[in-house]
Amino acid sequence: MTPSVVLVTGVSRFLGGHLAARLAANPAIDRVLGVDTVPPPRDLLRRMGRAEFVRADIRNPLISKVISNAGVDTVVHASVSANPGSSGGRTAMKEMNVIGTMQLLAACQKAPSVRRMVLKSTTAVYGSSPRDPALFDESMTPKDLPSGGYAKDAAEIEGYLRGFARRRPDVSVTVLRFTNFIGPRIDTVFTRYFALPVVPTVLGYDARVQLLHEEDALAVLERSASQDIPGVFNVAADGVMLLSQAIRRAGRVPLPVPSPAVGPVSRVFRGARIVDFSPEQMRLLNFGRVVDNRRLRQQFGFAPRWTTVQAFDDFVRGRGLRPVIGPERVETVERGVRALVGMLR
Amino acid sequence: MTEARVIPLHADDAGARRRWRLGGPQNGGPAPEPEPEPAVEAEPEPGAEWDELIEFAKRRLGGDYTVDDFGFDRELTDNVLLPALRPLYRSWFRVETIGMHNVPGEGGALVVANHSGTVPIDSLMTAVALHDDHPDHRHLRLLGADLMFRLPGIGTLARKGGATLACTPDAERLMSSGELVGVWPEGFKGIGKPFHDRYKLQRFGRGGFVSAALRTGVPIIPCAIVGAEEIYPKIGDIRPLARLFGAPYFPVTPLFPWFGPLGMIPLPSKWYIEFGTPIPTDTIGAAEADDPMTVFNLTDQVRETIQHTLYRLLSQRRNAFTG
């Protein structure tokens, strides 16, 4: 069933904006409404084509009017933010994430036209601890409930959505738990982290990293908006890489920081507005988190085009990240070693 | 070192005896079996090994290798981790393996063994045994306690070496994908038991390993390890220090902590690792995995088998250090 009127939240950011653009390119969809508190950047707005931008705050009951007036039948809630820096601080971020979602769900519950609800959630809801199984599937719950930050927001939002699904059983609800995004265009904490010339890591820990290419993420969001596939799905690429391996592939230099110094170091980075590390991201760098994407492949019917390593390599190529230690120097060292070996023999 | 004595351990099993005779001199004798790596190194070109080493270093530093979903780094394990353990295995503990033919060459299986020795060296040695002495060079995927994964350095190395957390989802995932999984169900109760309780099997957890094997239908291979009890004889336990470090125990051995780092050198006991006849689980059926009675009975069967094997091996052993 193709939707006729789609509402996308968070269109001023990469995923929401490009999703709106993709949906607008589909002639079967009558109208695409994009909602956000700030207008999208100009190039994104141009891409969005016939999609209409509505400057509204989802925390405001006005959103209810937008939904009922336009007769929205599909809502893609993609505005849940992981980044306190760009949302104007942790308090504002929580307000926007949790209260905003509650308002949006309240408005949707009142609107009889709504038939489909898609939530962009995160695999952070599984937490990250040494007691985790190697792979999480959708039925598992975290060992330690996320105590704060984005993960807690996402867990609460999923809870509210479950409540909504109970009260409106006629609405098909899809929860997409995305892993960390990577790609040449998207801007996330992870992409900034790997773009640092010297990458701080936690001494003695080497997390497994699972990523998802931005194009795969958009394709999954588009598919969930245009087809009825209710359920909870982990959305992640196949395969994992180690954090140290990723840093090496990007040609960066790792800087292992002892655990007690991690807090101050991450504060320095946050203060300098280089990379916004939250405590849960630090835990992720300690223990990692990998999810099972079998249900995405079988039930949702989507196979990610990029594996984790391919997506990461595409990011490195697309950003034009040059190795800190250039290939010429590597060659010099190699020649030196070979000469030394020749002399020793 | 003397030649390994040939002891008829499986009087009823001719095949096992032949293997044991074959295996004995190879492990203890002066001529070790040629490894695949030395075969490559023995090529006529003298610079080949250096080229290989440089290529290996380049690959590692460029991040050009793969790890599986559990973080297992096969290349690192084969080229760095296992070679690092090999001297301990060959020269220090002089490990002899018995009944290696009981371990299937391919497909999933669950190796269940007794745990001992204060520090889990026994699991590492079992992993080396199954890689070096098995004709198919199998990698043992260890199931470890969460404490191990919390420790910096060790947890990371354990994952790279193929270990993962001892939990049902991980065990089932590994076994159903055809991996050889190793589990030490006694856990800290077994490894941290006092020296006077040596070779007395502790409670076997809650039988989670049995239900996991039942659900995936892989055989259970009982494994008895003799010799590991003597490496760090734990004669005492300083509780307050254990609490301070958040450890399950703080061992006192005849050498530790009195001799400081020197006391951390394990005593050179002579080891035997025997793999028993596999217990098939596919004939029982996956539905029985939820039947507590079946699970308990099977757990007891595995436990009894290991305990009896331990007693038999011990009765044949004359000295803990010379074998």
Side-chain angles (χ1 to χ4, degrees), chain B residues 250-267:
Chain B
F250 187 90
V252 177
T253 74
L255 301 177
F256 185 81
W258 329 114
F259 291 88
L262 265 181
M264 289 192 210
I265 299 173
L267 298 181

PDB file of all heavy atoms in Angstrom, chain B residues 250-267:
ATOM      1  N   PHE B 250      41.464 -13.976  46.099  1.00  0.00           N
ATOM      2  CA  PHE B 250      42.844 -13.510  45.978  1.00  0.00           C
ATOM      3  C   PHE B 250      43.716 -14.661  46.430  1.00  0.00           C
ATOM      4  O   PHE B 250      43.800 -14.958  47.617  1.00  0.00           O
ATOM      5  CB  PHE B 250      43.071 -12.263  46.832  1.00  0.00           C
ATOM      6  CG  PHE B 250      44.431 -11.642  46.618  1.00  0.00           C
ATOM      7  CD1 PHE B 250      44.617 -10.680  45.643  1.00  0.00           C
ATOM      8  CD2 PHE B 250      45.524 -12.045  47.381  1.00  0.00           C
ATOM      9  CE1 PHE B 250      45.865 -10.120  45.430  1.00  0.00           C
ATOM     10  CE2 PHE B 250      46.778 -11.492  47.167  1.00  0.00           C
ATOM     11  CZ  PHE B 250      46.942 -10.529  46.198  1.00  0.00           C
ATOM     12  N   PRO B 251      44.355 -15.372  45.513  1.00  0.00           N
ATOM     13  CA  PRO B 251      44.990 -16.639  45.878  1.00  0.00           C
ATOM     14  C   PRO B 251      46.287 -16.450  46.660  1.00  0.00           C
ATOM     15  O   PRO B 251      47.017 -15.479  46.463  1.00  0.00           O
ATOM     16  CB  PRO B 251      45.267 -17.276  44.513  1.00  0.00           C
ATOM     17  CG  PRO B 251      45.415 -16.121  43.594  1.00  0.00           C
ATOM     18  CD  PRO B 251      44.516 -15.033  44.099  1.00  0.00           C
ATOM     19  N   VAL B 252      46.534 -17.412  47.539  1.00  0.00           N
ATOM     20  CA  VAL B 252      47.833 -17.528  48.189  1.00  0.00           C
ATOM     21  C   VAL B 252      48.375 -18.894  47.785  1.00  0.00           C
ATOM     22  O   VAL B 252      47.719 -19.910  47.994  1.00  0.00           O
ATOM     23  CB  VAL B 252      47.704 -17.440  49.721  1.00  0.00           C
ATOM     24  CG1 VAL B 252      49.061 -17.648  50.366  1.00  0.00           C
ATOM     25  CG2 VAL B 252      47.128 -16.107  50.125  1.00  0.00           C
ATOM     26  N   THR B 253      49.501 -18.918  47.121  1.00  0.00           N
ATOM     27  CA  THR B 253      50.117 -20.186  46.731  1.00  0.00           C
ATOM     28  C   THR B 253      51.452 -20.279  47.477  1.00  0.00           C
ATOM     29  O   THR B 253      51.872 -19.309  48.122  1.00  0.00           O
ATOM     30  CB  THR B 253      50.342 -20.236  45.209  1.00  0.00           C
ATOM     31  OG1 THR B 253      51.437 -19.383  44.874  1.00  0.00           O
ATOM     32  CG2 THR B 253      49.114 -19.786  44.440  1.00  0.00           C
ATOM     33  N   PRO B 254      52.128 -21.404  47.405  1.00  0.00           N
ATOM     34  CA  PRO B 254      53.423 -21.485  48.084  1.00  0.00           C
ATOM     35  C   PRO B 254      54.388 -20.393  47.629  1.00  0.00           C
ATOM     36  O   PRO B 254      55.311 -20.050  48.358  1.00  0.00           O
ATOM     37  CB  PRO B 254      53.936 -22.874  47.696  1.00  0.00           C
ATOM     38  CG  PRO B 254      52.713 -23.658  47.392  1.00  0.00           C
ATOM     39  CD  PRO B 254      51.723 -22.692  46.844  1.00  0.00           C
ATOM     40  N   LEU B 255      54.193 -19.860  46.439  1.00  0.00           N
ATOM     41  CA  LEU B 255      55.116 -18.850  45.915  1.00  0.00           C
ATOM     42  C   LEU B 255      54.508 -17.458  45.805  1.00  0.00           C
ATOM     43  O   LEU B 255      55.230 -16.477  45.687  1.00  0.00           O
ATOM     44  CB  LEU B 255      55.621 -19.276  44.530  1.00  0.00           C
ATOM     45  CG  LEU B 255      56.356 -20.608  44.454  1.00  0.00           C
ATOM     46  CD1 LEU B 255      56.714 -20.920  43.025  1.00  0.00           C
ATOM     47  CD2 LEU B 255      57.611 -20.577  45.309  1.00  0.00           C
ATOM     48  N   PHE B 256      53.196 -17.374  45.827  1.00  0.00           N
ATOM     49  CA  PHE B 256      52.542 -16.070  45.619  1.00  0.00           C
ATOM     50  C   PHE B 256      51.719 -15.737  46.854  1.00  0.00           C
ATOM     51  O   PHE B 256      51.032 -16.614  47.376  1.00  0.00           O
ATOM     52  CB  PHE B 256      51.647 -16.145  44.376  1.00  0.00           C
ATOM     53  CG  PHE B 256      51.009 -14.843  43.997  1.00  0.00           C
ATOM     54  CD1 PHE B 256      51.705 -13.882  43.292  1.00  0.00           C
ATOM     55  CD2 PHE B 256      49.705 -14.565  44.393  1.00  0.00           C
ATOM     56  CE1 PHE B 256      51.108 -12.686  42.955  1.00  0.00           C
ATOM     57  CE2 PHE B 256      49.109 -13.358  44.054  1.00  0.00           C
ATOM     58  CZ  PHE B 256      49.816 -12.430  43.330  1.00  0.00           C
ATOM     59  N   PRO B 257      51.694 -14.527  47.362  1.00  0.00           N
ATOM     60  CA  PRO B 257      52.418 -13.338  46.857  1.00  0.00           C
ATOM     61  C   PRO B 257      53.812 -13.164  47.434  1.00  0.00           C
ATOM     62  O   PRO B 257      54.393 -12.104  47.249  1.00  0.00           O
ATOM     63  CB  PRO B 257      51.498 -12.208  47.314  1.00  0.00           C
ATOM     64  CG  PRO B 257      50.811 -12.713  48.535  1.00  0.00           C
ATOM     65  CD  PRO B 257      50.785 -14.197  48.464  1.00  0.00           C
ATOM     66  N   TRP B 258      54.342 -14.166  48.117  1.00  0.00           N
ATOM     67  CA  TRP B 258      55.620 -13.993  48.830  1.00  0.00           C
ATOM     68  C   TRP B 258      56.753 -13.609  47.887  1.00  0.00           C
ATOM     69  O   TRP B 258      57.596 -12.792  48.210  1.00  0.00           O
ATOM     70  CB  TRP B 258      55.995 -15.282  49.567  1.00  0.00           C
ATOM     71  CG  TRP B 258      54.827 -16.071  50.021  1.00  0.00           C
ATOM     72  CD1 TRP B 258      54.439 -17.292  49.589  1.00  0.00           C
ATOM     73  CD2 TRP B 258      53.849 -15.664  50.984  1.00  0.00           C
ATOM     74  NE1 TRP B 258      53.290 -17.684  50.217  1.00  0.00           N
ATOM     75  CE2 TRP B 258      52.902 -16.703  51.075  1.00  0.00           C
ATOM     76  CE3 TRP B 258      53.664 -14.521  51.760  1.00  0.00           C
ATOM     77  CZ2 TRP B 258      51.793 -16.645  51.910  1.00  0.00           C
ATOM     78  CZ3 TRP B 258      52.564 -14.464  52.599  1.00  0.00           C
ATOM     79  CH2 TRP B 258      51.656 -15.505  52.681  1.00  0.00           C
ATOM     80  N   PHE B 259      56.798 -14.200  46.712  1.00  0.00           N
ATOM     81  CA  PHE B 259      57.923 -13.950  45.818  1.00  0.00           C
ATOM     82  C   PHE B 259      57.585 -12.938  44.730  1.00  0.00           C
ATOM     83  O   PHE B 259      58.307 -12.822  43.751  1.00  0.00           O
ATOM     84  CB  PHE B 259      58.396 -15.264  45.184  1.00  0.00           C
ATOM     85  CG  PHE B 259      59.053 -16.184  46.177  1.00  0.00           C
ATOM     86  CD1 PHE B 259      58.302 -17.078  46.910  1.00  0.00           C
ATOM     87  CD2 PHE B 259      60.420 -16.116  46.391  1.00  0.00           C
ATOM     88  CE1 PHE B 259      58.908 -17.910  47.840  1.00  0.00           C
ATOM     89  CE2 PHE B 259      61.028 -16.958  47.324  1.00  0.00           C
ATOM     90  CZ  PHE B 259      60.270 -17.852  48.052  1.00  0.00           C
ATOM     91  N   GLY B 260      56.471 -12.236  44.932  1.00  0.00           N
ATOM     92  CA  GLY B 260      56.104 -11.190  43.973  1.00  0.00           C
ATOM     93  C   GLY B 260      55.892 -11.762  42.589  1.00  0.00           C
ATOM     94  O   GLY B 260      55.285 -12.819  42.438  1.00  0.00           O
ATOM     95  N   PRO B 261      56.431 -11.091  41.582  1.00  0.00           N
ATOM     96  CA  PRO B 261      56.219 -11.545  40.196  1.00  0.00           C
ATOM     97  C   PRO B 261      56.766 -12.955  39.956  1.00  0.00           C
ATOM     98  O   PRO B 261      56.233 -13.701  39.143  1.00  0.00           O
ATOM     99  CB  PRO B 261      56.998 -10.534  39.360  1.00  0.00           C
ATOM    100  CG  PRO B 261      57.337  -9.413  40.260  1.00  0.00           C
ATOM    101  CD  PRO B 261      57.234  -9.889  41.666  1.00  0.00           C
ATOM    102  N   LEU B 262      57.815 -13.316  40.682  1.00  0.00           N
ATOM    103  CA  LEU B 262      58.360 -14.659  40.529  1.00  0.00           C
ATOM    104  C   LEU B 262      57.322 -15.722  40.887  1.00  0.00           C
ATOM    105  O   LEU B 262      57.276 -16.789  40.288  1.00  0.00           O
ATOM    106  CB  LEU B 262      59.586 -14.833  41.429  1.00  0.00           C
ATOM    107  CG  LEU B 262      60.952 -14.594  40.801  1.00  0.00           C
ATOM    108  CD1 LEU B 262      62.046 -14.837  41.832  1.00  0.00           C
ATOM    109  CD2 LEU B 262      61.162 -15.513  39.619  1.00  0.00           C
ATOM    110  N   GLY B 263      56.497 -15.378  41.862  1.00  0.00           N
ATOM    111  CA  GLY B 263      55.463 -16.321  42.289  1.00  0.00           C
ATOM    112  C   GLY B 263      54.393 -16.525  41.244  1.00  0.00           C
ATOM    113  O   GLY B 263      53.559 -17.416  41.352  1.00  0.00           O
ATOM    114  N   MET B 264      54.384 -15.684  40.208  1.00  0.00           N
ATOM    115  CA  MET B 264      53.374 -15.822  39.157  1.00  0.00           C
ATOM    116  C   MET B 264      53.787 -16.849  38.109  1.00  0.00           C
ATOM    117  O   MET B 264      53.018 -17.156  37.211  1.00  0.00           O
ATOM    118  CB  MET B 264      53.152 -14.477  38.470  1.00  0.00           C
ATOM    119  CG  MET B 264      52.420 -13.493  39.355  1.00  0.00           C
ATOM    120  SD  MET B 264      51.901 -12.104  38.364  1.00  0.00           S
ATOM    121  CE  MET B 264      51.923 -10.806  39.558  1.00  0.00           C
ATOM    122  N   ILE B 265      55.007 -17.345  38.188  1.00  0.00           N
ATOM    123  CA  ILE B 265      55.433 -18.385  37.248  1.00  0.00           C
ATOM    124  C   ILE B 265      54.741 -19.690  37.634  1.00  0.00           C
ATOM    125  O   ILE B 265      54.852 -20.135  38.773  1.00  0.00           O
ATOM    126  CB  ILE B 265      56.964 -18.559  37.290  1.00  0.00           C
ATOM    127  CG1 ILE B 265      57.636 -17.242  36.890  1.00  0.00           C
ATOM    128  CG2 ILE B 265      57.407 -19.698  36.384  1.00  0.00           C
ATOM    129  CD1 ILE B 265      59.132 -17.250  37.053  1.00  0.00           C
ATOM    130  N   PRO B 266      54.009 -20.287  36.716  1.00  0.00           N
ATOM    131  CA  PRO B 266      53.315 -21.527  37.076  1.00  0.00           C
ATOM    132  C   PRO B 266      54.311 -22.663  37.294  1.00  0.00           C
ATOM    133  O   PRO B 266      55.362 -22.709  36.654  1.00  0.00           O
ATOM    134  CB  PRO B 266      52.414 -21.792  35.865  1.00  0.00           C
ATOM    135  CG  PRO B 266      53.063 -21.071  34.746  1.00  0.00           C
ATOM    136  CD  PRO B 266      53.749 -19.885  35.336  1.00  0.00           C
ATOM    137  N   LEU B 267      53.969 -23.567  38.210  1.00  0.00           N
ATOM    138  CA  LEU B 267      54.832 -24.721  38.437  1.00  0.00           C
ATOM    139  C   LEU B 267      54.766 -25.629  37.208  1.00  0.00           C
ATOM    140  O   LEU B 267      53.701 -25.798  36.624  1.00  0.00           O
ATOM    141  CB  LEU B 267      54.379 -25.471  39.686  1.00  0.00           C
ATOM    142  CG  LEU B 267      54.442 -24.668  40.985  1.00  0.00           C
ATOM    143  CD1 LEU B 267      53.989 -25.528  42.159  1.00  0.00           C
ATOM    144  CD2 LEU B 267      55.844 -24.140  41.240  1.00  0.00           C
TER     145      LEU B 267
END
